[in-house]
Amino acid sequence: MKNKNDVSVMLREAGILFAITLIAGLVLGVVNELTKEPIRIQQEKAVQEACRAVFAEAASFEEMEYAPADELQQELSAAGVKLGRVYRALGSDSAMLGYVLESISTQGYGGNIVLYLGVTNEGTLNDISILEISETAGLGMLAPDELVPQFHDKKVESFIYTKAGASADNEIDAISGATITTKAVTDAVNGGLKAAKALTEGGGGNE
């Protein structure tokens, strides 16, 4: 009799646990469905704000398909850089003004650093905007304040970072104590510049 009671208790407890797990799963599923669309809308809003921040002259942004050539892809990969979304920056008359590119460094100290950069048809880097970053507080997390302004309105092939004080347009002052973050941001910007140049010279990529 005791054994039957033990089995009955075990089955009852297992049933309760199963019911709790099932209900929790259903609740999570419902919550996920309810929040998925608002999250998507917020993410898209953040992207549009980043686009406007780096290409203020543009009236609209048209997403396009772009796959870097193998040589450029290998070069980006070697630097720990991946390209994300790419947009044409269009004027009020729909004239092509340049590109906005999402460039991702996988070499940040605390993980990926996602930034957007706006590049004109003439190759001028308007600005960059850091969309995602999780570096060390007080060091790498200073990148939006200390690094971003240094890239404003620069027309160079690529950037290098220095610890001795920038003395040329292509030089960026490194954040003290955050060389890894500085390098990651600089590499991401350089990758975006190379892709923008390839797009301009190649006639605008794929539709």
Side-chain angles (χ1 to χ4, degrees):
M1 181 66 70
K2 184 177 180 181
N3 289 338
K4 289 184 178 180
N5 288 337
D6 289 345
V7 171
S8 178
V9 170
M10 288 175 61
L11 289 174
R12 185 169 64 251
E13 291 180 346
I16 293 172
L17 181 60
F18 175 76
I20 292 173
T21 303
L22 179 61
I23 293 171
L26 289 173
V27 170
L28 286 174
V30 171
V31 170
N32 181 63
E33 285 301 316
L34 290 175
T35 58
K36 184 164 58 176
E37 185 61 14
I39 289 174
R40 186 197 66 78
I41 292 173
Q42 284 300 114
Q43 290 174 336
E44 187 59 33
K45 181 181 178 182
V47 167
Q48 288 298 313
E49 289 176 351
C51 287
R52 287 192 292 271
V54 301
F55 220 122
E57 293 181 7
S60 63
F61 303 94
E62 180 183 83
E63 188 169 3
M64 58 176 286
E65 293 184 8
Y66 172 62
D70 290 343
E71 184 177 352
L72 176 56
Q73 185 62 61
Q74 291 173 6
E75 189 175 351
L76 295 176
S77 295
V81 174
K82 299 186 297 183
L83 286 180
R85 302 166 77 173
V86 178
Y87 299 84
R88 294 184 180 92
L90 306 175
S92 56
D93 57 355
S94 296
M96 176 72 177
L97 302 179
Y99 298 95
V100 173
L101 305 95
E102 179 186 43
S103 187
I104 305 158
S105 172
T106 62
Q107 303 299 309
Y109 186 80
N112 290 352
I113 297 176
V114 181
L115 60 83
Y116 277 63
L117 61 158
V119 186
T120 69
N121 291 329
E122 295 72 37
T124 297
L125 174 61
N126 291 328
D127 281 294
I128 73 168
S129 177
I130 296 179
L131 205 62
E132 295 179 24
I133 185 170
S134 55
E135 303 294 90
T136 305
L139 294 172
M141 286 302 289
L142 295 174
D145 294 324
E146 294 198 9
L147 294 182
V148 169
Q150 298 186 63
F151 292 98
H152 173 67
D153 197 27
K154 298 288 181 67
K155 186 176 182 179
V156 298
E157 288 287 325
S158 62
F159 292 91
I160 59 174
Y161 65 91
T162 176
K163 299 178 182 179
S167 58
D169 278 353
N170 70 327
E171 292 183 344
I172 300 298
D173 277 326
I175 301 173
S176 179
T179 303
I180 292 176
T181 304
T182 302
K183 183 179 186 302
V185 170
T186 303
D187 287 345
V189 172
N190 287 339
L193 286 175
K194 289 173 182 176
K197 182 179 180 182
L199 276 164
T200 302
E201 293 178 348
N206 303 318
E207 293 292 341

